[in-house]
């Protein structure tokens, strides 16, 4: 089963809104947060550091966002901020803008009510690993029913550390709507701690952990309400599709959008008047402060013909920071 939030994610249509970097409940050895996100109060919309509400709205429009996922740290430890952004998004984009939130604490009825009233649609609980298999009769069971009573869709989202059938029991009992199991991964933020715990990378893989995937697929993923999200899918579908949405929104007439969702164009420091003198159509280039950006193929043709001395082909992400992936000289 794949939830509405996950459907939007797969299309690259979910903006990621990081609202709060602190998580006071515990220091999970598998926490993937990097140093720039851990224990900070900064807000990020995708890769953009948020300085104002307008930044959040602009980033959502930049990717034609279908919805937003709220994450941290622990969003429930910054309730006023979390609720304000939920209200902002619903006010701007309407009720169809689907929102879900990741949390590692139960939070209680008052938080569930506040989140629901602010516009949250779906809440995904991640109980501490040490409680897995022993959650019935605790606040973790109770909060599922409370969340539903307050108008939220309750679910689980857990890392694929090991198979745990108690999550299936909650699904069968109707307490939770679904359970997402994310392939266990190592990142720059957790690599050292993961190794200390005895985990290693899967051979030939950049992030997937060697180990439990086959057991989880066998014991959990056959359940109709369980979705196993692979690290390859996250990169190939979610991230890449989000970049493509951005790139297609931002591309100029002469930009090329690659299969990876990057933008490719030519760049030269030649006199802009040269383009006008040669009769190059305006839709094939644009003049910047100290350089000219032009269709990459046209740049190659002009250099080869001797109309320009040199330039470079630039490939960059369509993100707010415009990170350059590659520069290829043309001379």
């Amino acid at each position: 089963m794949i939830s509405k939030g996950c459907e939007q994610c797969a299309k690259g249509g979910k903006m990621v809104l990081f609202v709060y970097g602190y998580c006071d409940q515990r220091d999970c050895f598998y926490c993937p947060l990097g140093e720039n996100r851990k224990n900070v109060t900064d807000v990020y919309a995708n890769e953009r550091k948020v300085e104002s509400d307008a930044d959040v709205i602009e980033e959502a429009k930049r990717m034609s966002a279908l919805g937003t996922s709220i994450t941290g740290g622990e969003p429930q430890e910054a309730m006023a901020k979390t609720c304000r952004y939920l209200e902002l998004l619903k006010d701007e984009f309407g009720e169809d803008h689907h929102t879900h939130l990741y949390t590692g604490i139960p939070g209680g009825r008052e938080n569930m009510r506040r989140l629901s009233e602010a516009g949250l649609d779906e809440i995904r609980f991640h109980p501490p690993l040490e409680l897995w298999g022993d959650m019935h009769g605790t606040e973790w069971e109770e909060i599922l029913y409370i969340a539903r009573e307050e108008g939220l869709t309750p679910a689980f989202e857990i890392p694929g550390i090991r198979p745990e059938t108690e999550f299936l029991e909650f699904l069968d009992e109707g307490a939770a709507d679904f359970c997402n199991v994310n392939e266990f991964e190592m990142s720059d933020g957790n690599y050292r701690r993961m190794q200390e715990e005895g985990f290693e990378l899967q051979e030939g893989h950049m992030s997937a952990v060697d180990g439990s995937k086959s057991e989880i697929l066998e014991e959990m993923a056959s359940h109709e309400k369980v979705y196993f999200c692979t690290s390859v899918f996250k990169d190939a579908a979610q991230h890449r599709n989000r970049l493509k949405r951005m790139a297609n929104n931002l591309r100029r007439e002469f930009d090329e959008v690659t299969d990876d969702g990057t933008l490719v164009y030519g760049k030269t420091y030649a006199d802009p008047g040269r383009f006008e003198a040669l009769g190059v159509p305006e839709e094939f280039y644009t003049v910047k402060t100290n350089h000219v950006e032009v269709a990459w193929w046209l740049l190659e043709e002009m250099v080869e013909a001797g109309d320009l001395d040199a330039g470079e082909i630039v490939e960059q992400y369509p993100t707010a920071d415009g990170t350059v992936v590659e520069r290829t000289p043309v001379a």
Side-chain angles (χ1 to χ4, degrees):
M1 173 183 176
I2 186 168
S3 69
K4 181 174 181 178
C6 289
E7 284 180 359
Q8 293 182 344
C9 231
K11 296 175 182 176
K14 260 285 161 72
M15 179 173 71
V16 180
L17 188 63
F18 178 94
V19 295
Y20 191 66
Y22 285 91
C23 180
D24 296 335
Q25 294 301 303
R26 60 197 183 279
D27 185 20
C28 300
F29 69 86
Y30 49 84
C31 178
L33 288 185
E35 291 303 314
N36 66 323
R37 299 285 177 100
K38 203 173 182 68
N39 298 332
V40 299
T41 57
D42 298 325
V43 175
Y44 290 86
N46 294 332
E47 295 79 15
R48 179 196 295 257
K49 186 175 181 180
V50 172
E51 305 291 348
S52 68
D53 289 354
D55 289 342
V56 176
I57 301 303
E58 182 181 335
E59 187 66 20
K61 290 180 176 178
R62 187 185 189 93
M63 60 174 287
S64 298
L66 303 172
T68 297
S69 62
I70 311 290
T71 186
E74 179 48 68
Q76 285 201 77
E77 289 180 9
M79 281 293 291
K81 182 193 291 188
T82 297
C83 290
R84 188 172 67 80
Y85 283 119
L86 282 166
E87 291 169 352
L88 174 72
L89 290 163
K90 290 291 189 176
D91 287 346
E92 178 69 28
F93 299 110
E95 288 302 311
D96 287 341
H97 187 87
H98 186 272
T99 55
H100 70 261
L101 179 145
Y102 301 101
T103 182
I105 59 177
R109 184 175 294 275
E110 180 60 25
N111 277 11
M112 297 303 105
R113 180 177 296 128
R114 289 177 65 187
L115 290 168
S116 180
E117 290 176 350
L120 185 65
D121 297 301
E122 188 181 282
I123 186 162
R124 303 181 182 184
F125 294 102
H126 165 44
L129 177 61
E130 59 268 22
L131 297 183
W132 290 16
D134 196 28
M135 291 178 288
H136 277 87
T138 72
E139 60 184 348
W140 287 99
E141 179 178 22
E142 183 182 18
I143 198 62
L144 296 169
Y145 293 100
I146 289 174
R148 193 183 302 281
E149 289 168 6
E150 295 300 333
L152 301 173
T153 297
F156 289 112
E157 177 116 5
I158 60 172
I161 301 173
R162 69 164 196 259
E164 176 49 65
T165 56
E166 188 178 29
F167 291 111
L168 307 185
E169 294 168 13
F170 281 122
L171 296 175
D172 291 337
E173 293 157 6
D177 271 33
F178 62 89
C179 178
N180 285 346
V181 183
N182 294 308
E183 185 168 11
F184 205 24
E185 293 182 284
M186 297 176 81
S187 68
D188 290 341
N190 68 16
Y191 193 88
R192 178 183 56 80
R193 286 174 285 133
M194 291 276 284
Q195 283 196 315
E196 289 173 355
E197 293 290 328
F199 294 98
E200 296 293 342
L201 277 176
Q202 182 179 318
E203 186 176 349
H205 206 286
M206 292 180 63
S207 60
V209 173
D210 192 31
S212 63
K213 179 177 178 179
S214 60
E215 293 180 3
I216 289 173
L217 290 174
E218 182 178 338
E219 296 185 38
M220 294 185 70
S222 60
H223 194 288
E224 64 178 0
K225 294 184 178 179
V226 172
Y227 177 67
F228 184 76
C229 188
T230 68
S231 56
V232 171
F233 179 77
K234 284 181 185 176
D235 177 62
Q238 296 177 7
H239 183 62
R240 192 174 299 179
N241 286 343
R242 175 162 62 85
L243 292 176
K244 286 181 179 179
R245 294 174 77 92
M246 287 183 175
N248 284 313
N249 281 345
L250 297 173
R251 70 178 301 272
R252 298 164 294 189
E253 185 74 23
F254 58 81
D255 287 325
E256 179 178 313
V257 177
T258 70
D259 289 340
D260 290 327
T262 55
L263 293 167
V264 179
Y265 59 90
K267 179 178 179 180
T268 178
Y269 293 93
D271 183 350
R274 185 79 180 133
F275 288 81
E276 186 174 352
L278 290 167
V280 177
E282 292 182 358
E283 63 266 26
F284 289 142
Y285 73 100
T286 187
V287 179
K288 297 292 187 175
T289 304
N290 65 346
H291 67 274
V292 177
E293 294 177 359
V294 57
W296 68 266
W297 53 268
L298 183 57
L299 174 67
E300 284 190 339
E301 288 183 4
M302 294 178 75
V303 170
E304 186 177 343
D307 295 323
L308 297 176
D309 291 331
E312 62 180 3
I313 296 174
V314 180
E315 180 180 359
Q316 72 176 61
Y317 284 116
T319 50
D321 55 11
T323 302
V324 172
V325 179
E326 188 174 10
R327 298 179 187 273
T328 305
V330 178

